[in-house]
Amino acid sequence: MRFDVITLFPDIFQVLQHGVTRRAMDSGSMQLHCWNPRDFAQGAYRRVDDRPFGGGPGMVMMAEPLFLCLQAIRSDRGQDRTQAPLWLFSPIGEPMKQPLVQDCSQGGGAVLLCGRYEGFDQRALDLVVDDEISLGDFVLAGGELAALCVLEAVVRLRPGALGNDASSVEESF
């Protein structure tokens, strides 16, 4: 299972080098690749944000670096959109519940899009996002914490991630 995370702060994901997620990565049950959209931005400052089209407060992440980053991910994976859906973390998305986690744990992974600022250029999202996932009715500063929750919840259901595979079957929540 492979996850690709699009984030301005890839170092946040170093926390996955511990515990259950580390065991899953060491065993090959999970692969994690972090991608910084700044690496795909143009200009000396590698800007990824701009004023929202149509006005409004704050800044939004630009479409072009996102498109170029996603193109690189698809090329690196050698897969198309149907084999690795792109999930955006948003308070208006589908609530993350155990059946969603179980379904994801049976698949080949996903591309996780972590927003910052006031979000993304909506025109870009309309073209690339397959699903929006929510941890609850609240707003975070970015999608990284939500992505970490999804990764840990999914990975712990993979064979070999826990000391005893029956542990995830017998637990309640």
Side-chain angles (χ1 to χ4, degrees):
M1 164 175 287
R2 174 176 167 166
F3 286 97
D4 292 271
V5 180
I6 301 173
T7 174
L8 291 174
F9 303 104
D11 290 345
I12 289 174
F13 291 87
Q14 292 299 316
V15 71
L16 296 175
Q17 295 296 321
H18 304 280
V20 171
T21 50
R22 173 60 181 247
R23 187 177 304 129
M25 287 189 279
D26 286 349
S27 73
S29 180
M30 179 184 94
Q31 295 177 27
L32 178 67
H33 301 267
C34 291
W35 302 79
N36 191 332
R38 283 192 197 285
D39 296 339
F40 301 90
Q42 303 299 313
Y45 297 107
R46 303 275 191 202
R47 264 187 71 205
V48 294
D49 62 330
D50 201 356
R51 298 193 190 295
F53 181 74
M59 303 291 270
V60 295
M61 292 181 70
M62 295 166 34
E64 186 176 13
L66 173 60
F67 287 149
L68 293 172
C69 182
L70 188 55
Q71 182 180 13
I73 291 169
R74 297 287 188 218
S75 176
D76 190 59
R77 287 181 76 108
Q79 296 176 324
D80 66 17
R81 185 177 187 161
T82 61
Q83 296 164 313
L86 189 142
W87 291 359
L88 170 69
F89 297 102
S90 165
I92 64 169
E94 175 186 355
M96 188 176 98
K97 295 188 176 176
Q98 194 66 13
L100 174 68
V101 171
Q102 289 169 326
D103 286 347
C104 185
S105 74
Q106 301 301 313
V111 178
L112 308 178
L113 180 57
C114 302
R116 281 284 161 167
Y117 311 118
E118 293 293 319
F120 288 89
D121 182 322
Q122 186 62 44
R123 298 168 294 175
L125 296 181
D126 292 342
L127 294 174
V128 300
V129 171
D130 296 304
D131 292 301
E132 291 188 46
I133 306 298
S134 172
L135 292 187
D137 294 334
F138 54 90
V139 177
L140 296 169
E144 289 83 8
L145 292 177
L148 286 167
C149 290
V150 167
L151 289 168
E152 183 164 319
V154 168
V155 166
R156 63 186 313 282
L157 296 179
R158 299 286 294 174
L162 300 176
N164 182 337
D165 289 342
S167 294
S168 66
V169 176
E170 295 180 9
E171 63 195 5
S172 63
F173 52 89

